[in-house]
């Protein structure tokens, strides 16, 4: 039987994981796609003497680009440069490309998908969202007859680890962030995780998959977890809730709202039990109802496992383009001000008069008080648009100070 030759670009955590799986699971892979899958090149700036791939290291991309034997190129470099020009050139050279790079897919997915279609090859990116969790393929295969009403995910392991620790141990954000960095969970730039940018790119990709239209990730209102404090979790504990960083996109009538924000949720929420570095994605379809996808959203072997499955998908569909992804038509994301939520609000000060004024300011709200706090109280509003909330809050802040505002879904 024929043999498939693969090149890996970027021998970092994920790239080396892909090489490891290709070697270790060679039998399963051969059985699964009917051919041997061999690693021909590894492109990297470094040499890796003594590693299992030392004889296959190349430093010049054109070696891969020009080798007609290489039919599948794996991009695990991360970042946009040179990942973008290398991926584009690989597709233009008629090679299938598999990537784990959400930044690349979020920024250039539309163009790369179009080139793949035109060249009758495939551009697969299962590992770019949710690491090892199958979510991209379920969206374009298993759920393709569904009208997707909502996708809500805990899509970032670092922030989920931080929020879980804050919840379970009462620790401060700063202390847990430091621990996450020491454990090596946080990426080089912790800002991308804690400010919600990573989640934003992932929910942009999922929203584009669900709608079939291009999503500009800059249109997605994005709030991270840096303002969540240990005090918020004291209230959450009393309320029997937790706070999670959600990436959500939701059909509201004809409009699509999409946002990234910390959300206070109750124990009955399907994503409540998604803790530590795990990711979870809830998908609601108009016929399906709710489906949940859960697992390791990051890490070497889980992410590499999704890459290897994409390589096999490319091998099995070597002579045609599998229809997936989105067109160049831009999805209009509705103004976040019209998005409707409840809000958990912490107010500075005490006294019955202030409490009544606060409740009234938000059109009637439930009071939440903690015995351990003697200089503030909280309230839970009813459902209102973000614009209505902002108006109520601005009016109320003429007389008192709001310390915190977290969207609530319970
Ligand atoms: N920084 C990401 C996370 C890695 O923490 O989930 C996977 O994209």
């Amino acid at each position: 039987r024929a043999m498939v030759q693969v090149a890996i670009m970027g021998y970092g955590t994920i790239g080396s994981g892909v090489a490891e799986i290709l070697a270790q699971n060679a039998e399963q892979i051969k059985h699964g796609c009917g051919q041997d899958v061999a690693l021909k090149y590894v492109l990297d700036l470094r040499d890796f003497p003594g590693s299992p791939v030392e004889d296959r290291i190349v430093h010049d991309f054109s070696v891969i680009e020009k080798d007609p034997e290489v039919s599948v190129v794996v991009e695990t470099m991360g970042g946009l440069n040179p990942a973008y020009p290398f991926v584009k050139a690989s597709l233009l050279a008629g090679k299938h490309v598999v990537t784990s790079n959400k930044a690349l897919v979020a920024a250039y997915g539309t163009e790369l998908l179009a080139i793949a279609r035109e060249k009758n090859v495939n551009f697969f990116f299962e590992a770019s969202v949710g690491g090892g969790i199958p979510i991209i393929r379920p969206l374009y295969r298993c759920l393709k007859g569904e009208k997707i009403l909502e996708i809500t995910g805990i899509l970032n392991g670092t922030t989920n680890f931080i929020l879980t620790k804050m919840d379970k141990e009462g620790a401060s954000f700063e202390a847990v962030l430091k621990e996450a960095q020491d454990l090596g969970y946080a990426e080089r730039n912790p800002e991308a995780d804690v400010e919600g940018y990573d989640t934003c790119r992932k929910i942009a990709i999922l929203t584009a998959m669900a709608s079939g239209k291009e999503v500009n990730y800059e249109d997605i209102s994005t709030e991270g977890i840096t303002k969540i404090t240990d005090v918020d979790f004291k209230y959450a504990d009393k309320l029997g809730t937790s706070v999670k960083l959600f990436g959500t996109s939701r059909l509201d009538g004809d409009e699509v709202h999409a946002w990234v924000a910390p959300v206070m949720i109750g124990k009955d929420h399907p994503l409540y039990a998604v803790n530590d570095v795990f990711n979870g994605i809830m998908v609601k379809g108009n016929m399906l109802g709710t489906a949940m996808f859960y697992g390791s959203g990051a890490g070497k072997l889980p992410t590499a496992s999704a890459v290897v499955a994409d390589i096999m998908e490319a091998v099995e569909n070597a002579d045609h383009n599998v229809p997936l992804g989105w067109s160049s038509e831009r999805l209009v994301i509705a103004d976040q001000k019209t998005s409707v939520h409840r809000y958990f609000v912490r107010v500075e000060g005490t006294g019955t008069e202030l409490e009544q004024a606060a409740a009234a300011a938000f059109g009637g709200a439930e009071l939440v008080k903690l015995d351990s706090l003697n200089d503030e109280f909280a309230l839970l509003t009813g459902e209102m648009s973000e614009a209505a909330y902002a108006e109520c809050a601005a009016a109320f802040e003429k007389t008192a100070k709001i310390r915190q505002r977290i969207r609530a879904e319970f």
Side-chain angles (χ1 to χ4, degrees), residues 252-271:
D252 292 317
D254 296 336
E255 297 194 310
V256 177
H257 283 104
W259 69 91
V260 174
V263 181
M264 189 176 269
I265 55 169
K267 293 196 166 74
D268 54 352
H269 194 289
L271 292 168

Side-chain angles (χ1 to χ4, degrees), residues 102 155-158 187 193 198 202 297-298:
K102 73 223 142 198
L155 298 167
N156 182 269
T158 305
E187 282 183 298
D193 292 318
D198 177 79
K202 290 167 175 169

Side-chain angles (χ1 to χ4, degrees), residues 163-355:
L163 292 174
T164 303
K165 281 254 166 185
M166 290 176 74
D167 187 356
K168 305 263 186 279
E169 295 170 15
S172 74
F173 170 78
E174 292 76 17
V176 190
L177 172 61
K178 177 148 193 319
E179 190 184 341
Q181 283 172 321
D182 292 346
L183 284 168
Y185 291 150
E187 282 183 298
R188 269 175 292 176
N189 180 3
E191 219 192 339
D193 292 318
V194 298
E195 297 294 355
Y197 307 149
D198 177 79
T199 299
C200 172
R201 279 159 182 77
K202 290 167 175 169
I203 193 66
I205 294 168
L206 295 180
T207 306
M209 287 300 302
S211 67
K213 294 181 185 170
E214 176 180 78
V215 172
N216 179 6
Y217 64 81
E218 288 165 348
D219 293 346
I220 297 176
S221 153
T222 299
E223 195 177 301
I225 63 163
T226 54
K227 292 188 188 124
I228 302 296
T229 70
D230 44 350
V231 177
D232 299 324
F233 277 104
K234 288 191 178 136
Y235 284 102
D237 188 40
K238 163 138 190 188
L239 289 163
T241 63
S242 190
V243 180
K244 299 287 190 187
L245 182 66
F246 277 0
T248 289
S249 66
R250 191 179 277 167
L251 261 186
D252 292 317
D254 296 336
E255 297 194 310
V256 177
H257 283 104
W259 69 91
V260 174
V263 181
M264 189 176 269
I265 55 169
K267 293 196 166 74
D268 54 352
H269 194 289
L271 292 168
Y272 180 87
V274 178
N275 284 319
D276 303 312
V277 293
F278 289 97
N279 286 15
I281 303 147
M282 178 182 82
V283 178
K284 286 187 186 166
N286 66 332
M287 297 294 135
L288 163 81
T290 300
M292 281 281 294
F293 300 85
Y294 171 86
S296 295
K300 176 176 173 165
L301 292 176
T303 308
S305 171
V307 172
V308 169
D310 272 354
I311 296 172
M312 294 170 69
E313 186 80 354
V315 171
E316 289 169 82
N317 297 282
D319 62 351
H320 65 276
N321 172 266
V322 177
L324 76 106
W326 53 90
S327 70
S328 59
E329 186 186 339
R330 175 73 60 86
L331 180 71
V332 177
I333 304 289
D335 190 337
Q336 185 58 14
K337 291 196 188 81
T338 64
S339 182
V340 173
H341 310 268
R342 297 180 73 197
Y343 304 85
F344 164 81
V345 184
R346 283 171 47 211
V347 178
E348 186 172 298
T350 51
T352 317
E353 209 174 304
L354 181 61
E355 286 166 14

